[in-house]
Every structure is written in structure tokens, then in C-alpha cells.
Amino acid sequence: MISKKMTTALNAQVTAELYSSYLYVSMSAWLQAEGHQGAAHWMSLQAREEIYHVIKFYNFILDRGGQIRLGPIEAPPAKWKSALEVFEQAHAHEQKVTALIDSLMTLAKSESDHASEIFLQWFVTEQTEEEANTLATAQKYKLAAGQGAGLFMIDQELAARTLTVLVKDALTGVPPTAV
Ligand SMILES: [Fe+2]
Ligand SMILES: [Fe+2]
């Protein structure tokens, strides 16, 4: 049985992951409106990936006999100065999420909640990937320094993203169309 404290903390993470998705939808919309079609595509897949994170936490809470308590989700920002700023903020956001996962892990360890610890390990690894992806893209935009050809190349690269690996990794077996 999962503790009340851990259930509350995991429910807060469900809300945090929903906010991540909300933020990335907003970023995707801004990128699209500004003509960064590839980046908008990348960000909309990132928004969908966050929904998979929600589902993982949601299923884990229910599987352990906990109850789902959804909290309010604040409105994300809607405007950025550049695609570089979007990815810098996405990177900063992922660093914050990493800190949230770390404190969940600390709580699991303090409660000797081994099931939660093993479950959270996936997210510890995932956060390294999330930070690395957003950082690498921000660095590319920095190198392009707002120049047309560079921006076009980055956009083409981001346009190629797929969610294949994620679908294979999803614990739920729910196909993306059913999310
Ligand atoms: Fe996430
Ligand atoms: Fe990821």
C-alpha cells in the first residue's frame, strides 16, 4: 500500500506533467505562428510525450491503490522573443521537473517505498534525456545566431521527429490515438 504522503506527491506530479504538456502546446502554437513549422511539430510531439508521463503516474497511483486528485493547472506563457528563447525556457523548465522527480525519489527512499523508487528510476533517466534534447536545440539556435540558413536547417531537423520510441516504451499499451 502506498502512503498518503507519497500519493499526494505523485498526484502533484500528475498536475506538473499536465502543466508541461500545456506549456509545450503553447510553445508549439507560438512557433507555428512565427513560421518555425518544424520546431512547432517537435514541440507538439513533446506536449504529447508529457501526456504519456501523466498516464504513467496516473496508472502507478491507481495500481498501488491510491486515489487520483487532480489539481488546477496554471496558464502557460504565450509569447517568446525567439525560437532560441523557447528552447532555453523549455530547458529551464525540464531542469525544474528534474528537481521535482529528485524530491519524489528522496521521499520514496525515506519511506523505503521500493516500488515507487523503481518506478521513479525511469523518470530519472528520462529527465536526463529531456534536459539534453532541449539544451542541444537551444545551443544550435545560439550557433545559428538568428541567421536564415541556420534557422532553416534546424527547423528541418526538428521536423523529422517521431514518437516511435515513446510508443514502444509506454507502459500502458494505449495507442497514441486513444490518448
Ligand atoms: Fe515530463
Ligand atoms: Fe523524452
Side-chain angles (χ1 to χ4, degrees):
M1 186 68 185
I2 195 163
S3 77
K4 245 201 161 108
K5 202 171 170 187
M6 181 55 82
T7 306
T8 304
L10 290 171
N11 267 301
Q13 192 63 30
V14 168
T15 305
E17 299 289 343
L18 279 166
Y19 176 76
S20 294
S21 186
Y22 216 31
L23 173 65
Y24 296 147
V25 166
S26 188
M27 286 177 165
S28 180
W30 184 87
L31 289 162
Q32 177 92 19
E34 294 294 313
H36 299 281
Q37 313 269 322
H41 164 78
W42 191 96
M43 206 50 97
S44 87
L45 291 191
Q46 190 60 26
R48 189 180 297 199
E49 184 175 317
E50 295 302 339
I51 297 298
Y52 280 96
H53 296 171
V54 171
I55 293 170
K56 280 184 195 248
F57 278 104
Y58 173 98
N59 282 345
F60 182 73
I61 293 166
L62 291 175
D63 285 350
R64 304 281 315 280
Q67 287 189 327
I68 298 294
R69 289 281 180 271
L70 298 175
I73 308 166
E74 68 173 285
K79 267 189 174 176
W80 291 269
K81 285 194 296 247
S82 61
L84 167 63
E85 194 189 39
V86 168
F87 279 86
E88 278 176 342
Q89 283 191 15
H91 179 239
H93 178 70
E94 287 303 332
Q95 286 178 317
K96 279 189 212 156
V97 175
T98 301
L100 294 176
I101 299 290
D102 282 347
S103 39
L104 285 173
M105 186 60 112
T106 303
L107 179 61
K109 280 180 191 284
S110 76
E111 292 191 352
S112 299
D113 181 348
H114 303 299
S116 292
E117 220 180 301
I118 289 165
F119 169 76
L120 288 165
Q121 257 163 27
W122 185 91
F123 283 95
V124 171
T125 309
E126 171 66 10
Q127 281 313 118
T128 304
E129 185 213 306
E130 302 291 49
E131 285 189 35
N133 286 342
T134 45
L135 177 63
T137 305
Q139 283 170 334
K140 283 176 194 166
Y141 276 118
K142 213 174 234 171
L143 283 174
Q147 304 249 329
L151 291 181
F152 182 74
M153 277 173 66
I154 296 166
D155 206 60
Q156 292 283 94
E157 200 182 302
L158 295 174
R161 179 177 180 184
T162 65
L163 269 187
T164 319
V165 173
L166 179 76
V167 172
K168 210 173 71 192
D169 279 353
L171 292 176
T172 60
V174 178
T177 46
V179 172

